[in-house]
Amino acid sequence: MAAITTTLVVGATGATGKHVVLQLLQRKQHVKAVVRSKQRLLDSLDEVAPNASTEFSSSLEIQEASLLDLSDDDLMELTSQCDATVSCLGHNISIQGMFGHPRRLVTDATKRLYNAIEANQSKEAEPKKA
């Protein structure tokens, strides 16, 4: 049996994200998700697989927040205990979706997540004080 890992999924309520979350949970992995609406994620999971939100509740940690509103420290904390991060962020295929607010969501969020992961790895690489 494979070791249990923790994966952070951003964009978890989208068309791809809900399937990524469900597949990770079905593989007995722990999932952290940052979503603007917890209920939307739970409903999305149940649409794909009835009762999934109940069945996998112990392995799913949901933080309700806008990713860009989280502080750098919040992002470092969020990514600190994760073995992997999956970004399913994207825009709706429409003029409003691609050019409306927040236009730079994917770019800005990816940069900030990368910086948080990098900072955590640097902290882990620091020599321990005796």
Side-chain angles (χ1 to χ4, degrees):
M1 183 174 181
I4 294 177
T5 60
T6 298
T7 302
L8 171 64
V9 180
V10 295
T13 57
T16 302
K18 63 186 173 187
H19 291 283
V20 169
V21 169
L22 185 59
Q23 286 186 20
L24 288 166
L25 292 170
Q26 288 171 333
R27 291 187 168 113
K28 309 285 189 237
Q29 302 305 308
H30 182 80
V31 176
K32 287 184 180 183
V34 178
V35 296
R36 290 178 298 215
S37 170
K38 178 179 181 175
Q39 192 59 51
R40 182 173 170 206
L41 175 58
L42 297 174
D43 291 345
S44 294
L45 292 174
D46 288 340
E47 285 174 16
V48 177
N51 300 314
S53 64
T54 303
E55 180 181 347
F56 298 114
S57 63
S58 65
S59 298
L60 178 60
E61 180 182 335
I62 302 172
Q63 181 167 345
E64 204 167 30
S66 174
L67 196 58
L68 293 180
D69 290 341
L70 295 174
S71 71
D72 291 343
D73 287 340
D74 291 338
L75 287 174
M76 281 185 63
E77 176 65 27
L78 191 64
T79 59
S80 68
Q81 300 300 314
C82 294
D83 301 294
T85 300
V86 177
S87 176
C88 298
L89 294 172
H91 296 285
N92 293 329
I93 305 299
S94 69
I95 297 298
Q96 178 63 29
M98 291 185 290
F99 298 108
H101 180 74
R103 193 173 98 232
R104 296 187 43 89
L105 168 69
V106 176
T107 302
D108 292 346
T110 301
K111 285 179 185 176
R112 293 191 64 224
L113 281 168
Y114 171 81
N115 289 338
I117 293 165
E118 184 80 6
N120 280 326
Q121 289 178 343
S122 294
K123 276 173 90 173
E124 290 173 9
E126 290 176 2
K128 305 287 183 209
K129 294 181 181 178

